[in-house]
Amino acid sequence: MPVRRPCLGALGAVAAALLLAAPAAPATADPSETVTVDPAGRLAADGTVMLSGTYRCTGAMGVAFVSSSVGQGSSTTQQGIGGTRAVCDGAEHRWVNTGLPSAEELRAGPARVEATVTELAPSGLLLLPRFHAVSRQDVTLTNG
């Protein structure tokens, strides 16, 4: 039986439109949910970056994680630096993310870090992002 490519393309477009039209779960305003970034990050000789801090979240029904990104200089580009599984039990926990940026090379010195606690919350047949906490902080990357 021949495959009808126009039909498959139309189905793919409809599926993509449904995903884009689905509303993201709202961010919580719970002040007890927090994420912090330590004032210093480490930069290894091979370019690997290690960032860390603490987080506290509650009530996750799905998988939650702490993601982080770093940027430097006048560039507005943020480069993802790993992710850590989060336990949303209301207690404060440490997070440490490491990663090798794929874009521009980072140097020791001032940098901007963003850390986010995100849950992939079940919503019908979809998993939608639910943001528990976000922090943006200036840090210093040190060699080591």
Side-chain angles (χ1 to χ4, degrees):
M1 173 184 259
V3 175
R4 298 185 182 224
R5 294 194 190 276
C7 291
L8 291 176
L11 287 174
V14 169
L18 287 173
L19 286 174
L20 292 175
T28 64
D30 186 343
S32 68
E33 295 194 309
T34 61
V35 61
T36 69
V37 178
D38 291 340
R42 283 196 242 154
L43 183 60
D46 69 355
T48 299
V49 176
M50 184 176 80
L51 302 171
S52 58
T54 63
Y55 72 91
R56 180 189 324 264
C57 56
T58 60
M61 300 299 290
V63 176
F65 53 93
V66 180
S67 61
S68 58
S69 61
V70 64
Q72 204 168 38
S74 61
S75 173
T76 58
T77 302
Q78 291 283 112
Q79 300 183 65
I81 305 296
T84 301
R85 182 88 181 252
V87 177
C88 291
D89 61 1
E92 185 174 270
H93 299 276
R94 294 272 316 148
W95 64 269
V96 177
N97 290 346
T98 59
L100 185 60
S102 59
E104 59 195 59
E105 183 178 320
L106 297 172
R107 295 178 192 74
R112 297 171 311 281
V113 171
E114 181 174 301
T116 307
V117 179
T118 307
E119 171 190 359
L120 295 177
S123 177
L125 297 174
L126 302 175
L127 293 175
L128 299 178
R130 177 175 171 234
F131 300 99
H132 288 261
V134 176
S135 177
R136 293 174 186 92
Q137 183 171 325
D138 291 333
V139 302
T140 301
L141 295 179
T142 60
N143 291 323

